[in-house]
Amino acid sequence: MIKKITSILFFLTIFSSLILPQTFDGTWSVDYVLPDNEFNPNSIGQRTMSVAVVAENSFVALAANYGNGTYYLVGYKNASQNTGILGTYPYSADSLKMKWIDGFNQVFLETPRDIVSYNNLIYVPSNDVNHNILAFELKADSIYTYPQRYKTGNRELWAIDIDQAGHIFVTVAGDSSTPGSVLVFENPSIAGWNSQGNKATILHEIILPNAGTARGITVNSEGTLIYVSNYLTREIYCYVGNPNDGYSLNSGFNFNANNTFEVGAVTLEVGPWGLQYMNNKNLLFVGHDASFVRSEGYNYGRYYILNPNTGEILDTINVAEWNVKQSGVYNNPDSLGTASGYAATYNLDFDENFNVYTAAYYGWSIEKWTYSGELPTIDITITDIEIDGEFIPEQIQLKQNYPNPFNPTTTIEFQINKQDEVSLKIFSINGELITNLISNSVFSPGNYKLTFDASKLVSGTYFYQLKVGQKIFSNKMVLLK
């Protein structure tokens, strides 16, 4: 007997990649590492939490020692291992806090955890009494206050990113009993940010699905995709929408990585930290590590590179492995400047040539990573899934796509009779995986329809495969152009 449930018809947005599978055929290596040396004036001189890139070899490092209350920014231009620093900084300073100052308006940096570059300005979410977002400017000789700040209230801020239109996205951390959230603000030049520190107007607030700590956020250049990491639950959430109309959770994105790592008798709890979306290539980079763990923690640190449509891991920059190959141990920098040692892979950024700059927290350094080949590009399109929960089907069924043959779009329809994990894939006639339309996502019982756009594929016969739990169903479809 078919049961009726109270429901409405609604739409869920997911993504599908319609290019042939991409591979990482090259290797990652370090071009240079800033020195951790009290006698080298090019040294940051303190633990390094984040980095914001302005151009190739020009960037700002966030020095942050949360144990002794030291927080400041260090600028570099035309950087190399031993050159490029702007200004002079003490080594291993205690209680040194950079001051944002404009006339009588003064704010000390307090417990910042991330920074971002936008139009040669550096924005910092500070956890001072007003939890200001502070602006600084990288000039020829140093970093200076820029007369913009925004009071956000009384909640703990963590990560920050900015889209090309200047919308600012900031995470509110959350904890083991309270979900974190994402705050979306208007472009400062439009919203009237100034040195007085106006009270921020929030365009949208996105409450995350689960309690935990929101460690990272990144958006694509258009501001239509948001990715947020929850370190406590080991998840990455994907949201779809825009700064004007708001965002909805994309349940088609699913990130899976090992949550524990064995180092002898020690078990490390590891999870996602900082995130960065590489525009033009459409690759999602994830800092993945234990939380402020020294000693055994140096054996793990790495960055995963994900398919932004599904959360699938495509490649890995294994920083810990690189360190031990260069210096023979996990906890010592290489004297030639090719490894910082002490892997703590929390945050990263890119330059315009797709080089990757990583902040080595316990290495007190910034590393510049280069790729030996050409990075693949993942193509993204938006596909609507129509979910009809008016009834609970009696069985699982994958229906024939329609129209069939088709050009270039067709509708795929399936139904499931209980909540279960669902995957939907497209294969070539030779069995080659073309794309994951749905990747290991939990769906409720109901009837589902989605539009598959094959405009970038050649004419031919393809198979679509539905997996629900351990059961697999497949059908054939024909593209005629």
Side-chain angles (χ1 to χ4, degrees):
M1 179 178 180
I2 297 177
K3 298 180 180 179
K4 296 283 186 179
I5 62 173
T6 302
S7 182
I8 60 173
L9 187 68
F10 64 98
F11 293 89
L12 175 67
T13 303
I14 68 164
F15 307 101
S16 63
S17 174
L18 297 181
I19 58 174
L20 293 177
Q22 298 291 316
T23 58
F24 284 77
D25 298 322
T27 58
W28 292 96
S29 62
V30 170
D31 185 24
Y32 62 80
V33 176
L34 298 183
D36 173 22
N37 187 328
E38 62 181 309
F39 303 109
N40 191 319
N42 207 46
S43 172
I44 294 169
Q46 196 44 271
R47 294 176 180 177
T48 308
M49 185 62 173
S50 188
V51 59
V53 177
V54 176
E56 184 167 5
N57 299 321
S58 294
F59 50 84
V60 174
L62 170 61
N65 190 323
Y66 304 104
N68 65 20
T70 298
Y71 314 112
Y72 58 88
L73 304 176
V74 183
Y76 289 82
K77 284 198 171 181
N78 300 315
S80 66
Q81 181 189 1
N82 296 306
T83 61
I85 194 169
L86 306 178
T88 303
Y89 296 84
Y91 187 86
S92 192
D94 286 347
S95 303
L96 174 63
K97 295 183 180 180
M98 189 171 188
K99 183 188 291 185
W100 180 98
I101 181 169
D102 186 63
F104 293 106
N105 299 295
Q106 301 182 22
V107 179
F108 284 99
L109 277 186
E110 184 62 49
T111 326
R113 298 185 178 93
D114 194 18
I115 57 178
V116 67
S117 170
Y118 177 74
N119 285 350
N120 291 323
L121 298 180
I122 306 299
Y123 288 89
V124 188
S126 174
N127 285 298
D128 54 77
V129 65
N130 292 307
H131 296 264
N132 283 280
I133 300 174
L134 303 171
F136 295 87
E137 186 173 12
L138 180 64
K139 292 188 176 182
D141 60 339
S142 190
I143 296 175
Y144 294 87
T145 293
Y146 189 81
Q148 282 184 354
R149 67 183 176 106
Y150 219 20
K151 299 175 182 176
T152 67
N154 59 4
R155 293 182 289 178
E156 182 186 14
L157 306 179
W158 195 290
I160 185 170
D161 203 6
I162 302 179
D163 69 15
Q164 65 184 3
H167 299 104
I168 293 182
F169 302 76
V170 180
T171 57
V172 174
D175 55 36
S176 59
S177 60
T178 306
S181 64
V182 176
L183 306 179
V184 184
F185 300 105
E186 185 57 275
N187 183 317
S189 62
I190 297 174
W193 294 30
N194 56 38
S195 61
Q196 302 301 314
N198 295 337
K199 183 67 187 305
T201 300
I202 301 172
L203 295 178
H204 302 284
E205 179 170 6
I206 304 168
I207 306 298
L208 301 185
N210 309 105
T213 51
R215 293 287 174 89
I217 187 169
T218 189
V219 300
N220 66 340
S221 59
E222 296 82 12
T224 55
L225 302 177
I226 302 175
Y227 298 90
V228 188
S229 65
N230 185 336
Y231 178 80
L232 193 63
T233 64
R234 317 304 190 215
E235 296 175 282
I236 297 175
Y237 310 114
C238 174
Y239 289 89
V240 186
N242 62 74
N244 295 321
D245 302 322
Y247 296 86
S248 60
L249 182 66
N250 167 29
S251 62
F253 181 91
N254 184 42
F255 169 68
N256 283 312
N258 291 332
N259 294 330
T260 60
F261 185 75
E262 306 296 331
V263 184
V266 176
T267 299
L268 297 176
E269 298 290 333
V270 295
W273 272 74
L275 307 174
Q276 281 294 338
Y277 187 91
M278 182 178 279
N279 288 289
N280 300 320
K281 295 296 184 180
N282 296 327
L283 298 171
L284 179 62
F285 286 66
V286 180
H288 206 261
D289 211 336
S291 183
F292 297 115
V293 175
R294 303 177 68 180
S295 188
E296 291 87 1
Y298 304 143
N299 293 46
Y300 179 78
R302 65 197 60 186
Y303 292 92
Y304 288 122
I305 306 171
L306 309 186
N307 183 323
N309 307 305
T310 64
E312 175 190 3
I313 297 174
L314 303 176
D315 198 22
T316 304
I317 303 176
N318 193 325
V319 178
E321 182 180 84
W322 172 268
N323 286 347
V324 78
K325 284 182 178 179
Q326 300 303 304
S327 60
V329 292
Y330 288 102
N331 60 347
N332 195 46
D334 173 58
S335 60
L336 299 178
T338 58
S340 67
Y342 314 104
T345 50
Y346 298 159
N347 287 295
L348 75 158
D349 203 1
F350 319 118
D351 65 29
E352 66 276 16
N353 296 316
F354 309 116
N355 299 303
V356 180
Y357 299 74
T358 62
Y361 183 70
Y362 290 116
W364 295 32
S365 186
I366 299 296
E367 303 166 327
K368 179 185 179 183
W369 292 80
T370 60
Y371 190 67
S372 63
E374 181 178 353
L375 289 172
T377 301
I378 302 299
D379 197 25
I380 292 181
T381 62
I382 296 178
T383 302
D384 288 326
I385 295 184
E386 180 182 322
I387 307 171
D388 185 356
E390 282 289 321
F391 68 95
I392 298 178
E394 292 181 333
Q395 60 184 2
I396 303 169
Q397 184 180 6
L398 176 62
K399 301 179 181 180
Q400 185 64 51
N401 67 297
Y402 58 90
N404 188 45
F406 67 98
N407 179 27
T409 62
T410 188
T411 297
I412 299 174
E413 186 173 355
F414 64 91
Q415 61 184 38
I416 60 176
N417 58 356
K418 64 178 181 178
Q419 181 172 297
D420 214 331
E421 191 172 84
V422 173
S423 294
L424 183 61
K425 301 179 180 182
I426 306 295
F427 294 90
S428 72
I429 190 66
N430 297 319
E432 182 181 22
L433 177 64
I434 300 299
T435 186
N436 286 297
L437 294 177
I438 302 171
S439 180
N440 299 322
S441 298
V442 176
F443 277 44
S444 300
N447 193 76
Y448 294 80
K449 299 178 184 178
L450 71 154
T451 300
F452 173 59
D453 184 349
S455 56
K456 296 188 178 182
L457 298 179
V458 299
S459 295
T461 300
Y462 296 87
F463 292 93
Y464 55 106
Q465 181 191 87
L466 175 71
K467 183 178 180 183
V468 181
Q470 299 302 312
K471 297 180 179 180
I472 296 176
F473 308 83
S474 63
N475 277 334
K476 184 188 299 183
M477 59 183 177
V478 178
L479 171 62
L480 289 180
K481 291 188 174 182

